[in-house]
Amino acid sequence: MTDLSLLQILLANLALLAGACLQGVAGYGIGTLAAPLLFLISPILIPAPLVLNAVVLTILMLLRNRGALQVREVRFAIGGGVGGMILAGITLMLISPTGFELAFGVLILIGVLLSAGGLRPALNARNSILAGAASTYMGTITAVGGPPIALIYQNQKGPLVRANMSAFFLVASFFSIAALVVSGYLGQRELQLFAVTFPGVLIGFWLSGKLVNRMPFDGLRPVILGIAAVAGVAALVRGLMSL
């Protein structure tokens, strides 16, 4: 059915629970934390099942933070996302399974470097377009689209970050779904995997409501980036060994 054991399904739900809780608190993180863990559990869990779970989470987050939403600030990032979607779809149609693992590893490590690099770009139209394109491209291929868009929102306040980034991620996720369907990366198996893993997202989102003002995100950041880096290196090694 899903090509996963019961233990793998349980571990996948726990990874998504942690990622959804983190995103509910910080505005992003389900991809950065859960995607590397899901890849280590089984590569078939990314990108499509995680992207589908991200849609559920971003809808819930938009409903929770809708009062702080400022659509005008998000429109440029969404425009950039169109270009990212097209480029990601072309990439997925051209690469082999080995090429996918290599691309996953490289993009994960790029995401880690962006998050840890200390860059502080201004929140303006140009940077929003570039961040939107990069975020949608990375999110489609790896389900880790947070780092580029998070860079331009890192100096904004919590509710605004959670609302605006959720609005962007929701639209970008639909862009990603379109690219995944066209490139053949989203089918019946991926829908089944989504069906057995989304409970973890629901529990994580509920838990984030209890921890939103208590979780020390800055303290967890090195751990999250370390997990992502390990998975990125693992993907590169697997891809290189398959050449």
Side-chain angles (χ1 to χ4, degrees):
M1 289 269 291
T2 62
D3 298 323
L4 292 180
S5 68
L6 184 60
L7 176 60
Q8 286 175 308
I9 292 173
L10 176 61
L11 291 174
N13 274 275
L14 288 174
L16 286 163
L17 186 157
C21 184
L22 178 64
Q23 183 148 326
V25 171
Y28 79 103
I30 187 171
T32 308
L33 178 58
L37 294 174
L38 292 176
F39 179 84
L40 295 175
I41 294 167
S42 175
I44 67 173
L45 288 163
I46 49 97
L50 179 50
V51 171
L52 292 170
N53 274 301
V55 171
V56 173
L57 179 60
T58 50
I59 290 172
L60 293 173
M61 287 193 60
L62 263 180
L63 291 174
R64 177 192 283 173
N65 298 285
R66 61 189 179 276
L69 179 62
Q70 294 182 10
V71 177
R72 287 176 58 85
E73 288 192 3
V74 185
R75 70 189 190 279
F76 294 109
I78 290 173
V82 175
M85 169 190 67
I86 295 170
L87 186 57
I90 293 172
T91 301
L92 289 173
M93 285 189 285
L94 294 178
I95 62 176
S96 64
T98 297
F100 175 81
E101 290 190 340
L102 291 171
F104 179 89
V106 169
L107 290 174
I108 287 287
L109 293 175
I110 288 173
V112 170
L113 291 174
L114 287 174
S115 295
L119 298 174
R120 293 186 175 274
L123 179 56
N124 56 37
R126 183 198 64 183
N127 289 340
S128 292
I129 292 170
L130 293 173
S135 184
T136 305
Y137 180 79
M138 292 177 62
T140 302
I141 295 177
T142 68
V144 183
I149 199 72
L151 283 177
I152 64 171
Y153 277 99
Q154 60 187 305
N155 296 320
Q156 309 302 310
K157 294 182 179 179
L160 173 66
V161 171
R162 289 188 288 269
N164 282 15
M165 289 181 65
S166 294
F168 168 75
F169 285 139
L170 181 60
V171 178
S173 293
F174 283 112
F175 288 162
S176 296
I177 288 171
L180 291 168
V181 170
V182 170
S183 59
Y185 277 75
L186 202 171
Q188 183 177 352
R189 183 184 70 172
E190 287 72 29
L191 292 173
Q192 290 174 339
L193 290 168
F194 163 64
V196 298
T197 55
F198 86 92
V201 169
L202 298 181
I203 297 171
F205 174 76
W206 171 81
L207 186 61
S208 72
K210 308 294 183 182
L211 300 175
V212 68
N213 294 315
R214 302 178 186 178
M215 183 181 288
F217 177 65
D218 288 339
L220 293 173
R221 201 158 165 262
V223 177
I224 296 165
L225 295 180
I227 293 170
V230 168
V233 171
L236 279 176
V237 170
R238 285 176 58 140
L240 291 170
M241 290 178 66
S242 300
L243 291 176

